[in-house]
Amino acid sequence: MTEEQKVTPDEQVEAIVESAETEATVEVPAEANKIAELGKKLALAEQQIKEQQDSVVRAQAEMENVRRRATLDIEKAHKYALDKFAEGLLPVIDSLEMAISHADKEDDALKPMIDGVELTLKSLLSTIEKFGLAIIDPANEAFDPEKHQAMSMQSVEGIAANQVIVVMQKGYELNGRLLRPAMVVVSKAAE
C-alpha cells in the first residue's frame, strides 16, 4: 500500500463517525415520520372513541326516554281505557235518576219499584266510583267554566253572581279528566 492509500486509525474513526452520522440523519427522519403518523392515527382513534362513547350515551338516554314514554302511555291507557264505556253508562245513570225524581213516592204500590231503582242506581254509582268515575254536582257552588256548562243565567235576590243555582244535568270526571260538564243555571248580578 502506498502512503496515500494508508489510512490512519484516526481517519478510520472519523470515517466511521461520518458514516454513522449520515445513517443517523437518514434514519431519524424516517422514524420521526413513523412516530408522527402513529400519533395522528392515535389522535384519530381517540376521537373515534369519544364519538362512539357520545353515541352510546345518547342511545342510552334515548332508550330511557322511550321507556319513560311507554310507561306513561301504558298508565294513561289503563287510566282512561274506560272512557267510552263510562260515557255509555252516563245516559243510563241519567235515566235512573230521572225515574227516581219523577216517581210518585206517595203511591204504596210503586214504593218497592222505586226502592229497587234507587238501590240499582246506588250500586251502579258505587261500582263506577271504584274505577275512578266521579260525579260533578255543583249545586250552590261557584261557577267553574272548566267543569260546568252554563245553560242560562238568572238574577236571584240574595245569591251572589256566578253561583250555580240549578243543576240541570250532573257532570262526570274519569280519573280527573272531564267526561261531561255539568249543565247548570248560573246566577247573575242584579240589574
Side-chain angles (χ1 to χ4, degrees):
M1 283 196 167
T2 63
E3 288 252 348
E4 292 176 6
Q5 290 179 338
K6 281 189 179 177
V7 179
T8 63
D10 288 335
E11 290 175 342
Q12 284 179 345
V13 170
E14 265 183 39
I16 292 173
V17 169
E18 280 181 22
S19 100
E21 284 178 355
T22 306
E23 286 178 17
T25 56
V26 171
E27 288 180 26
V28 169
E31 287 179 11
N33 287 340
K34 282 185 179 182
I35 291 173
E37 185 178 325
L38 290 174
K40 287 178 184 178
K41 286 182 180 180
L42 178 63
L44 182 63
E46 286 175 347
Q47 182 182 359
Q48 287 176 341
I49 289 171
K50 283 182 182 180
E51 289 173 1
Q52 289 174 353
Q53 286 174 338
D54 187 47
S55 295
V56 167
V57 169
R58 287 177 194 266
Q60 286 175 337
E62 182 63 26
M63 287 302 298
E64 186 61 34
N65 288 339
V66 167
R67 188 176 295 123
R68 191 177 313 119
R69 271 187 249 122
T71 302
L72 288 175
D73 289 345
I74 289 169
E75 285 176 12
K76 284 181 182 178
H78 285 285
K79 207 173 191 183
Y80 302 115
L82 299 175
D83 261 5
K84 293 193 186 293
F85 181 69
E87 286 175 3
L89 287 178
L90 297 184
V92 175
I93 295 168
D94 293 338
S95 297
L96 291 172
E97 288 176 343
M98 188 76 68
I100 293 169
S101 68
H102 286 80
D104 183 9
K105 295 178 181 161
E106 301 300 319
D107 188 350
D108 288 336
L110 295 178
K111 191 150 178 62
M113 184 185 70
I114 295 170
D115 290 342
V117 173
E118 286 175 343
L119 287 173
T120 303
L121 179 61
K122 283 182 184 177
S123 176
L124 179 60
L125 290 176
S126 69
T127 301
I128 61 174
E129 285 175 0
K130 289 177 187 175
F131 292 98
L133 192 69
I135 300 169
I136 301 172
D137 189 6
N140 301 319
E141 293 179 7
F143 177 72
D144 181 358
E146 292 187 16
K147 293 183 178 184
H148 310 148
Q149 181 177 352
M151 301 307 290
S152 69
M153 294 185 80
Q154 290 180 357
S155 180
V156 179
E157 296 250 350
I159 296 180
N162 294 324
Q163 291 289 339
V164 174
I165 51 177
V166 176
V167 177
M168 299 169 74
Q169 187 180 48
K170 293 177 183 174
Y172 292 90
E173 288 179 319
L174 179 63
N175 294 316
R177 184 169 29 178
L178 187 67
L179 283 180
R180 181 177 81 187
M183 294 183 188
V184 297
V185 177
V186 181
S187 64
K188 65 179 180 179
E191 295 176 10

Coordinates of all heavy atoms in Angstrom, one line a residue, residues 73-114:
D73 N -97.6 6.1 28.6 CA -98.6 5.6 27.7 C -99.4 4.5 28.3 O -100.7 4.4 28.2 CB -98.1 5.3 26.3 CG -97.6 6.5 25.5 OD1 -97.9 7.6 25.9 OD2 -96.9 6.3 24.5
I74 N -98.7 3.5 28.9 CA -99.4 2.4 29.5 C -100.3 2.9 30.7 O -101.4 2.4 30.8 CB -98.4 1.3 29.9 CG1 -97.8 0.6 28.7 CG2 -99.0 0.3 30.9 CD1 -96.6 -0.2 29.0
E75 N -99.7 3.8 31.5 CA -100.5 4.3 32.6 C -101.8 5.0 32.1 O -102.8 4.8 32.7 CB -99.7 5.3 33.4 CG -98.6 4.6 34.3 CD -97.7 5.6 35.0 OE1 -98.1 6.8 35.1 OE2 -96.7 5.2 35.6
K76 N -101.6 5.8 31.1 CA -102.8 6.5 30.5 C -103.8 5.5 29.9 O -105.0 5.7 30.1 CB -102.3 7.5 29.4 CG -101.7 8.8 30.0 CD -101.3 9.7 28.9 CE -100.7 11.0 29.4 NZ -100.3 11.9 28.3
A77 N -103.3 4.5 29.3 CA -104.2 3.5 28.7 C -105.0 2.8 29.8 O -106.2 2.6 29.6 CB -103.4 2.5 27.9
H78 N -104.3 2.5 30.9 CA -105.0 1.8 32.0 C -106.0 2.8 32.6 O -107.1 2.4 33.0 CB -104.1 1.4 33.1 CG -103.3 0.1 32.7 ND1 -103.9 -1.1 32.7 CD2 -102.0 0.0 32.3 CE1 -103.0 -2.0 32.3 NE2 -101.9 -1.4 32.0
K79 N -105.6 4.1 32.8 CA -106.4 5.1 33.5 C -107.6 5.4 32.7 O -108.7 5.6 33.3 CB -105.5 6.3 33.7 CG -105.9 7.1 34.9 CD -104.8 8.2 35.1 CE -105.0 8.9 36.4 NZ -104.0 10.0 36.6
Y80 N -107.5 5.6 31.4 CA -108.6 6.1 30.6 C -109.2 5.0 29.6 O -109.9 5.4 28.7 CB -108.1 7.3 29.8 CG -107.6 8.4 30.7 CD1 -106.2 8.8 30.7 CD2 -108.4 9.0 31.6 CE1 -105.8 9.8 31.5 CE2 -107.9 10.0 32.4 CZ -106.6 10.4 32.4 OH -106.2 11.3 33.2
A81 N -108.9 3.8 29.8 CA -109.4 2.7 29.0 C -111.0 2.7 29.1 O -111.6 2.3 28.2 CB -108.8 1.4 29.4
L82 N -111.5 3.1 30.2 CA -112.9 3.0 30.4 C -113.7 4.3 29.9 O -114.9 4.4 30.1 CB -113.2 2.9 31.9 CG -112.6 1.6 32.6 CD1 -112.8 1.6 34.0 CD2 -113.3 0.4 31.9
D83 N -113.0 5.2 29.2 CA -113.6 6.4 28.8 C -115.0 6.2 28.0 O -116.0 6.6 28.4 CB -112.7 7.2 27.8 CG -112.0 8.3 28.5 OD1 -112.1 8.5 29.7 OD2 -111.3 9.1 27.8
K84 N -114.9 5.4 26.9 CA -116.1 5.2 26.1 C -117.1 4.4 26.8 O -118.3 4.6 26.7 CB -115.7 4.5 24.8 CG -114.8 5.4 23.9 CD -114.7 4.8 22.5 CE -113.8 5.6 21.7 NZ -114.2 6.9 21.3
F85 N -116.7 3.4 27.6 CA -117.6 2.6 28.4 C -118.3 3.5 29.4 O -119.6 3.4 29.6 CB -116.9 1.5 29.1 CG -117.8 0.6 29.9 CD1 -118.7 -0.2 29.3 CD2 -117.7 0.6 31.3 CE1 -119.5 -1.1 30.0 CE2 -118.6 -0.2 32.0 CZ -119.5 -1.1 31.4
A86 N -117.6 4.4 30.1 CA -118.2 5.3 31.1 C -119.1 6.2 30.4 O -120.2 6.5 30.9 CB -117.1 6.0 31.9
E87 N -118.7 6.8 29.3 CA -119.6 7.7 28.5 C -120.9 7.0 28.1 O -122.0 7.6 28.1 CB -118.9 8.2 27.3 CG -117.9 9.3 27.6 CD -117.1 9.7 26.4 OE1 -117.4 9.3 25.3 OE2 -116.2 10.5 26.6
G88 N -120.8 5.7 27.8 CA -122.0 4.9 27.5 C -122.9 4.7 28.7 O -124.2 4.6 28.5
L89 N -122.4 4.7 29.9 CA -123.2 4.5 31.1 C -123.9 5.8 31.6 O -124.8 5.7 32.3 CB -122.3 4.0 32.2 CG -121.9 2.5 32.1 CD1 -121.0 2.1 33.3 CD2 -123.1 1.6 32.1
L90 N -123.4 6.9 31.2 CA -123.9 8.2 31.7 C -125.4 8.3 31.4 O -126.2 8.7 32.2 CB -123.1 9.4 31.1 CG -121.7 9.5 31.6 CD1 -121.0 10.7 31.0 CD2 -121.5 9.3 33.1
P91 N -125.9 8.0 30.2 CA -127.3 8.1 29.9 C -128.2 7.2 30.8 O -129.3 7.5 31.2 CB -127.5 7.7 28.4 CG -126.2 8.0 27.8 CD -125.2 7.7 28.9
V92 N -127.6 6.0 31.1 CA -128.3 5.0 32.0 C -128.4 5.7 33.4 O -129.5 5.6 34.0 CB -127.5 3.7 32.1 CG1 -128.1 2.8 33.0 CG2 -127.4 3.1 30.7
I93 N -127.4 6.2 33.9 CA -127.4 6.9 35.2 C -128.4 8.0 35.2 O -129.3 8.2 36.1 CB -126.0 7.4 35.6 CG1 -125.1 6.2 35.8 CG2 -126.1 8.3 36.9 CD1 -123.6 6.6 35.9
D94 N -128.4 8.8 34.1 CA -129.4 9.9 34.0 C -130.8 9.4 34.0 O -131.7 10.0 34.6 CB -129.1 10.7 32.7 CG -127.8 11.5 32.7 OD1 -127.3 11.8 33.8 OD2 -127.3 11.8 31.6
S95 N -131.0 8.3 33.3 CA -132.4 7.8 33.2 C -132.8 7.3 34.6 O -134.0 7.5 35.0 CB -132.4 6.6 32.2 OG -132.2 7.1 30.9
L96 N -132.0 6.6 35.3 CA -132.3 6.1 36.6 C -132.6 7.3 37.6 O -133.6 7.2 38.3 CB -131.2 5.2 37.2 CG -131.0 3.9 36.5 CD1 -129.8 3.2 37.0 CD2 -132.3 3.0 36.7
E97 N -131.8 8.3 37.5 CA -132.0 9.5 38.4 C -133.3 10.2 38.0 O -134.1 10.6 38.9 CB -130.9 10.5 38.2 CG -129.6 10.0 38.9 CD -128.4 10.9 38.7 OE1 -128.4 11.8 37.8 OE2 -127.5 10.8 39.5
M98 N -133.6 10.3 36.7 CA -134.9 10.9 36.2 C -136.1 10.0 36.7 O -137.1 10.6 37.1 CB -134.9 11.0 34.7 CG -136.0 11.8 34.1 SD -135.8 13.5 34.3 CE -134.4 13.8 33.3
A99 N -136.0 8.7 36.6 CA -137.1 7.9 37.1 C -137.3 8.1 38.5 O -138.5 8.1 39.0 CB -136.7 6.4 36.8
I100 N -136.3 8.2 39.3 CA -136.5 8.4 40.8 C -137.1 9.7 41.1 O -138.0 9.9 41.9 CB -135.1 8.2 41.5 CG1 -134.7 6.7 41.4 CG2 -135.2 8.7 43.0 CD1 -133.3 6.5 41.9
S101 N -136.6 10.8 40.4 CA -137.1 12.1 40.7 C -138.6 12.3 40.2 O -139.3 13.1 40.8 CB -136.2 13.2 40.0 OG -136.3 13.1 38.6
H102 N -139.0 11.6 39.2 CA -140.4 11.7 38.7 C -141.3 10.7 39.2 O -142.5 10.7 38.9 CB -140.4 11.6 37.1 CG -139.8 12.9 36.5 ND1 -138.5 13.1 36.4 CD2 -140.5 14.0 36.0 CE1 -138.3 14.3 35.8 NE2 -139.5 14.8 35.5
A103 N -140.8 9.8 40.0 CA -141.7 8.7 40.6 C -142.6 9.3 41.6 O -142.2 10.2 42.4 CB -140.9 7.6 41.1
D104 N -143.8 8.7 41.7 CA -144.8 9.1 42.8 C -144.4 8.3 44.0 O -144.8 7.1 44.2 CB -146.2 8.8 42.3 CG -147.2 9.3 43.3 OD1 -146.9 9.9 44.3 OD2 -148.4 8.9 43.1
K105 N -143.7 9.0 44.9 CA -143.2 8.3 46.1 C -144.4 8.0 47.2 O -144.2 7.3 48.1 CB -142.1 9.1 46.7 CG -140.9 9.1 45.8 CD -139.7 9.9 46.4 CE -138.6 9.8 45.3 NZ -137.6 10.8 45.5
E106 N -145.5 8.7 46.9 CA -146.6 8.5 47.8 C -147.4 7.2 47.5 O -148.2 6.7 48.4 CB -147.6 9.7 47.8 CG -146.9 11.0 48.1 CD -146.3 11.1 49.5 OE1 -147.0 10.6 50.4 OE2 -145.2 11.6 49.7
D107 N -147.3 6.7 46.3 CA -148.0 5.5 45.9 C -147.4 4.3 46.5 O -146.2 4.0 46.2 CB -148.1 5.5 44.4 CG -149.0 4.4 43.9 OD1 -149.5 3.5 44.7 OD2 -149.2 4.4 42.6
D108 N -148.1 3.6 47.4 CA -147.5 2.4 48.1 C -147.2 1.3 47.1 O -146.3 0.5 47.3 CB -148.5 1.9 49.2 CG -148.5 2.9 50.3 OD1 -147.5 3.6 50.5 OD2 -149.5 2.9 51.1
A109 N -148.0 1.2 46.0 CA -147.7 0.2 45.0 C -146.4 0.3 44.3 O -145.8 -0.6 43.9 CB -148.9 0.1 44.0
L110 N -146.0 1.6 44.1 CA -144.8 1.9 43.4 C -143.5 1.9 44.3 O -142.4 1.9 43.9 CB -144.9 3.2 42.7 CG -145.9 3.3 41.5 CD1 -145.9 4.7 41.0 CD2 -145.6 2.3 40.4
K111 N -143.8 2.0 45.6 CA -142.7 2.1 46.6 C -141.6 1.0 46.4 O -140.4 1.3 46.4 CB -143.2 2.1 48.0 CG -142.1 2.5 49.0 CD -142.8 3.2 50.2 CE -141.8 3.6 51.2 NZ -140.8 4.5 50.9
P112 N -142.0 -0.3 46.3 CA -140.9 -1.3 46.1 C -140.1 -1.1 44.8 O -138.9 -1.3 44.8 CB -141.7 -2.6 46.1 CG -143.0 -2.4 46.7 CD -143.3 -0.9 46.5
M113 N -140.8 -0.7 43.8 CA -140.1 -0.5 42.5 C -139.1 0.7 42.6 O -138.0 0.7 42.1 CB -141.1 -0.2 41.4 CG -140.4 -0.1 40.0 SD -141.5 0.3 38.7 CE -141.9 2.0 39.1
I114 N -139.6 1.8 43.3 CA -138.7 3.0 43.4 C -137.5 2.6 44.3 O -136.4 3.0 44.0 CB -139.5 4.1 44.1 CG1 -140.6 4.6 43.1 CG2 -138.6 5.3 44.5 CD1 -141.7 5.5 43.7

